[in-house]
Amino acid sequence: MELGAPGGLSAHFGTGPFEFEPREVRPGLHAMRMIRSDALLEYLSLQLNVRGINRFGPMARAFDALATTAPGIREIITIGKAIWEVKEDRWDVVIADAPPTGQIGSFLRAPLTVEELVPTGRVRAQAELMRETLESEAETKLVLVTLPEELPATETRETLDWLDKEQVVAPPIVLANRVLDELNDAKTPEGPVGEAAELHRSLWAEQQIWLDAVPPHGRLPHLFGLFTPGEVAAHLCDELEALT
Amino acid sequence: MTRTLLVTGAGGVGKTTVAAGMAVHAARAGLRTLVVTVDPARRLATALGLNDLGNEPQPHAHEPNLWAAMLDATATWRAVAERHAEPAVAARLADDEFFQAAAEHFPASQSYAAADQAVTFVQAKAWDLVVVDTPPSGGGIDFFTAPAQMADLVGGRLLWWMTGGPLPGRFLFNMAGRPVLRIADSILGSDLLERVAEFLLDLRTTYHGVARRGREIEKVLRAASILVVTTADPAPVLEAIKFYRELPGVASSPTSVLFNRVLPESWSDARPPRSTSLELSNNLERWAAEAQRQRDTREEFSSRYGAHVATIPWSPVPPTNLDGLASLLAEGRNIPWSQIGILSSSGDMATQ
């Protein structure tokens, strides 16, 4: 499930942009893209029995404006769709490519925000259900992917502290990506071979600072010289298998 | 005349470092320079002499021509409200907790606040050069489209259609006459709906001011130089391509694309000497593959989008002081110095 900017996830499969309707991209693997207006119309028709709204008409646009203005509503439409797919029992596992680490806190807190704003009514009941699903360790796992660099590591640290305080989801798993291995040979020959060794050692040393500051549960190696996202995905898949 | 350089690109590619480095060079070339950033890494903020968030530009303690400011979206939002709405409405928009949450929430607001504040600095005519490190929210392009989106939201047919009647005012919502409101009411509940409605109606009173300001902002953005920063990694390159495709329609075409973290091209076909250990020659081989991939990516970008390509080398440790920032940029190639009014990294002033 692609929740963020379109194209980032679908590029890994080479199947063209994903649609709102899930489509099989590999045997047993289905993919979709979150389109908020579609999710809202689906919500209106499934949950509220409101049908026949023209998705380009003023009604849909007005709804979108209301939904984007009321704090939390935009997010719970997105989370709601994800949880609907979970509760429908069509899949064994639903994986969402969620918003970036810096925004994940307010995203996951959205159901609680709505509960605080809306005292009664259908949307409140649904927000409650969403909050419970997110809080349940058996149903929801959060994986924070980070890089061993200053900004991503700092952001991950802050997000971990925030989640620890707010408890909107079980403690997340942290994965560090693009981790370099240590060179044992300490020599620095003349020319490119020495330059490459020096760069590698400096980057490795800098990475250790941030791996110590935010210790990850798992590490994925830096992949050298890969061109397409598809190649990256295939290699990472092997590495993840080795981790588990 | 104040020149404007907008530095844009995906998150995590070193955009802020590049913006700061360009600003240091300009300041050292004698240009009164302001660098505006959003959320710099701590080490970089320290290098720039920035300790607190604040829209007030602070002169650098050791660099005579350099000022720095960190954008504070909440403060800017307050200023926008005060500028465009009558006092009572402005007070509500800025002080009401729900309104604040709503203002922070709707998509264009953060980007609008950033663009508005940046343009305020340009219009102050106090600097020769204003370098803006644009916020990455919404894919970065938001910074350029926000003024139009904002004007559309507060003045468009949409609010008219929802609220009915040309006169802005509170509690004009006619539930019975507006089916959308009846449905919204059943979803959101009338309390929340009413608050959202009040907010939108208050916002609507700012329409003329916001629309006029939007045109001013657009004018400044169209006259600015735009530097797109990326690395050769697939995701930031996709984002950079988006700027090349979409910016010409909403601002001006990007001036250059700057690839950060570039490896020496000489590595691609280098042969390790015979005495080299297997470990080190394998290490060279994998970094050479990376260097090759980077070069192919740059060449494809340049030929496909006719882009002017600048590069700066991969610096393993981010610069932590002004000299470090300056030398990082000085090691770059094809940096568009003329766009910021200096001849080269040696610091000579341009003649024109």
Side-chain angles (χ1 to χ4, degrees):
Chain A
M1 197 175 248
E2 189 174 65
L3 299 189
L9 188 59
S10 59
H12 287 287
F13 297 95
T15 50
F18 296 156
E19 309 289 336
F20 184 67
E21 200 50 46
R23 172 158 60 97
E24 192 162 26
V25 292
R26 293 286 188 277
L29 175 63
H30 298 250
M32 66 158 286
R33 170 163 79 96
M34 179 58 61
I35 301 173
R36 213 175 52 235
S37 53
D38 284 340
L40 182 62
L41 293 184
E42 189 181 273
Y43 173 84
L44 290 176
S45 103
L46 290 175
Q47 308 288 329
L48 300 175
N49 261 321
V50 178
R51 289 172 218 278
I53 296 178
N54 176 358
R55 58 179 291 195
F56 300 109
M59 176 82 102
R61 291 186 55 217
F63 254 120
D64 199 50
L66 289 174
T68 50
T69 308
I73 298 293
R74 188 170 34 143
E75 289 81 3
I76 69 160
I77 291 169
T78 300
I79 297 173
K81 170 66 179 170
I83 288 179
W84 171 260
E85 294 292 334
V86 171
K87 301 281 179 192
E88 275 289 85
D89 234 8
R90 285 168 76 190
W91 323 106
D92 297 316
V93 59
V94 174
I95 301 173
D97 182 15
T101 300
Q103 296 160 25
I104 196 70
S106 59
F107 181 78
L108 293 176
R109 197 191 184 283
L112 192 57
T113 305
V114 170
E115 281 182 69
E116 287 165 0
L117 282 170
V118 186
T120 53
R122 266 184 274 202
V123 80
R124 187 201 156 90
Q126 275 149 1
E128 241 175 78
L129 173 77
M130 289 178 203
R131 177 176 55 73
E132 286 163 9
T133 308
L134 293 176
E135 279 170 1
S136 149
E137 188 159 15
E139 287 183 287
T140 308
K141 290 258 188 303
L142 176 65
V143 179
L144 294 179
V145 181
T146 187
L147 295 174
E149 295 171 18
E150 181 178 9
L151 277 179
T154 308
E155 203 160 61
T156 303
R157 175 83 274 153
E158 285 167 4
T159 302
L160 287 171
D161 293 346
W162 188 90
L163 289 170
D164 194 42
K165 200 171 80 222
E166 296 276 334
Q167 304 275 322
V168 290
V169 65
I173 296 160
V174 178
L175 291 182
N177 198 5
R178 302 194 177 181
V179 178
L180 294 170
D181 52 356
E182 186 176 9
L183 289 182
N184 296 311
D185 189 337
K187 285 199 275 300
T188 307
E190 285 285 303
V193 73
E195 291 165 21
E198 280 291 274
L199 178 75
H200 190 101
R201 290 186 196 114
S202 317
L203 288 171
W204 181 86
E206 172 76 8
Q207 287 196 345
Q208 301 319 301
I209 300 174
W210 304 110
L211 290 169
D212 288 345
V214 187
H217 298 93
R219 301 171 183 217
L220 296 165
H222 184 95
L223 300 173
F224 289 89
L226 294 174
F227 277 83
T228 65
E231 288 174 327
V232 175
H235 277 76
L236 280 181
C237 179
D238 295 343
E239 297 291 340
L240 282 167
E241 261 171 30
L243 263 185
T244 47
Chain B
M1 190 195 89
T2 304
R3 286 178 195 259
T4 313
L5 175 68
L6 306 174
V7 183
T8 192
V13 297
K15 193 160 54 77
T16 310
T17 306
V18 169
M22 297 288 281
V24 174
H25 273 279
R28 292 185 173 177
L31 300 178
R32 291 164 59 84
T33 304
L34 169 66
V35 57
V36 184
T37 112
V38 184
D39 189 14
R42 189 159 304 141
R43 292 190 286 197
L44 186 60
T46 311
L48 288 172
L50 282 170
N51 303 314
D52 308 301
L53 189 78
N55 283 335
E56 200 54 49
Q58 298 165 28
H60 194 277
H62 311 296
E63 193 64 48
N65 287 314
L66 186 64
W67 280 256
M70 234 190 291
L71 283 182
D72 176 351
T74 312
T76 307
W77 175 250
R78 180 179 294 271
V80 168
E82 281 165 4
R83 193 181 305 143
H84 301 308
E86 52 180 87
V89 178
R92 269 203 304 275
L93 282 172
D95 294 329
D96 186 295
E97 247 176 62
F98 175 85
F99 282 14
Q100 270 181 14
E104 271 170 32
H105 246 79
F106 64 78
S109 73
Q110 299 272 339
S111 299
Y112 178 83
D116 189 314
Q117 186 58 49
V119 166
T120 303
F121 290 140
V122 173
Q123 290 177 329
K125 298 194 163 68
W127 293 278
D128 299 315
L129 174 69
V130 175
V131 181
V132 185
D133 166 30
T134 65
S137 63
I141 204 110
D142 264 12
F143 180 82
F144 298 91
T145 55
Q149 278 184 46
M150 187 75 164
D152 193 45
L153 176 69
V154 300
R157 298 173 54 83
L158 182 66
L159 266 185
W160 183 302
W161 186 85
M162 264 199 301
T163 56
L167 277 177
R170 284 153 74 75
F171 309 112
L172 267 179
F173 273 36
N174 174 357
M175 290 278 184
R178 305 273 152 188
V180 65
L181 296 179
R182 281 207 308 275
I183 301 168
D185 184 55
S186 71
I187 302 179
L188 302 176
S190 52
D191 284 354
L192 181 59
L193 180 61
E194 195 167 285
R195 304 237 58 199
V196 172
E198 283 174 17
F199 174 74
L200 289 174
L201 285 168
D202 272 355
L203 205 56
R204 190 174 160 187
T205 70
T206 67
Y207 173 60
H208 289 292
V210 165
R212 196 170 52 238
R213 180 67 179 158
R215 288 191 292 273
E216 275 175 39
I217 295 175
E218 202 188 320
K219 216 173 118 191
V220 171
L221 296 187
R222 277 191 188 277
S225 302
I226 301 170
L227 182 60
V228 179
V229 182
T230 185
T231 64
D233 293 329
V237 166
L238 270 182
E239 185 112 332
I241 288 171
K242 206 172 148 209
F243 281 109
Y244 269 81
R245 284 204 183 131
E246 294 176 17
L247 270 187
V250 292
S252 50
S253 302
T255 310
S256 303
V257 59
L258 187 150
F259 282 85
N260 191 10
R261 300 189 174 179
V262 169
L263 298 167
E265 291 193 12
S266 62
W267 290 6
S268 332
D269 45 16
R271 291 267 172 281
R274 227 172 260 264
S275 59
T276 310
S277 68
L278 185 62
E279 187 190 31
L280 290 192
S281 43
N282 285 344
N283 186 56
L284 173 62
E285 195 180 319
R286 58 189 188 175
W287 281 104
E290 189 88 352
Q292 180 65 43
R293 182 188 65 88
Q294 288 191 344
R295 186 168 72 182
D296 292 347
T297 304
R298 290 197 300 276
E299 279 171 4
E300 192 187 335
F301 202 107
S302 148
S303 64
R304 190 173 285 186
Y305 300 98
H308 174 271
V309 175
T311 60
I312 49 180
W314 196 327
S315 143
V317 182
T320 53
N321 56 42
L322 295 192
D323 289 339
L325 283 168
S327 58
L328 181 65
L329 267 285
E331 284 170 39
R333 288 204 181 155
N334 293 332
I335 309 287
W337 296 115
S338 62
Q339 296 295 328
I340 60 170
I342 58 180
L343 276 183
S344 71
S345 63
S346 64
D348 308 314
M349 280 261 259
T351 41
Q352 71 258 45

